Amino acid sequence: MKIEDILGKFSILGSNQNESKETYKGELTLSLDDKNRIVAKWLINKSQEQFGIGFFNKNILVINFNYQGDENSVYYGTVVYKCISKDILEGFWSEEFGNPKFLGTENCFRIKDSKTVLN
């Protein structure tokens, strides 16, 4: 796979980095910057935006991300996706203040038309 193969929009299903593993849904958009790095933007549960920069090598995508929390603090983390195909990404993530005993998970499915989006 080439880096260009994974660009586009994905529906996501994820679970949080805690014991109860609360689930969430959203959308992930992957594009490239002028240095050929991955630019990621998540929209989680239709309300929370997250942003990241990453790199792609041997069908593995690694993104360092950040987002602004409810109390206006900025949180940082890293997500690693195994690119199963250009349409399916399987990942895990951790953020700085998450429970270190657990990893969050995130599975991404390419949006091919408007009927694919998860609500």
Side-chain angles (χ1 to χ4, degrees):
M1 236 181 303
K2 302 178 302 201
I3 195 169
E4 293 82 10
D5 293 335
I6 62 168
L7 303 180
K9 287 191 177 194
F10 295 83
S11 293
I12 56 174
L13 298 171
S15 66
N16 286 322
Q17 184 187 354
N18 56 30
E19 188 171 6
S20 60
K21 294 289 199 182
E22 295 108 358
T23 59
Y24 60 87
K25 296 178 182 178
E27 187 172 290
L28 168 64
T29 303
L30 299 175
S31 59
L32 289 177
D33 69 8
D34 59 353
K35 295 182 174 92
N36 217 36
R37 295 178 299 187
I38 291 285
V39 176
K41 180 179 177 185
W42 291 263
L43 182 60
I44 306 296
N45 291 332
K46 297 182 181 181
S47 62
Q48 183 185 73
E49 289 186 322
Q50 299 185 5
F51 304 93
I53 297 288
F55 52 93
F56 178 76
N57 187 39
K58 297 182 181 177
N59 295 346
I60 301 293
L61 175 60
V62 178
I63 302 170
N64 294 309
F65 66 88
N66 67 80
Y67 66 95
Q68 187 170 0
D70 294 333
E71 63 291 328
N72 292 326
S73 296
V74 177
Y75 296 95
Y76 298 91
T78 300
V79 60
V80 178
Y81 295 110
K82 178 171 40 172
C83 301
I84 306 298
S85 72
K86 65 182 180 130
D87 297 328
I88 300 173
L89 312 178
E90 185 178 89
F92 61 92
W93 58 269
S94 178
E95 65 179 47
E96 64 181 326
F97 295 115
N99 187 331
K101 294 180 181 179
F102 302 96
L103 290 172
T105 64
E106 200 162 275
N107 293 308
C108 308
F109 307 92
R110 182 175 300 280
I111 298 172
K112 295 183 180 183
D113 59 50
S114 61
K115 295 177 187 172
T116 307
V117 177
L118 300 171
N119 291 318

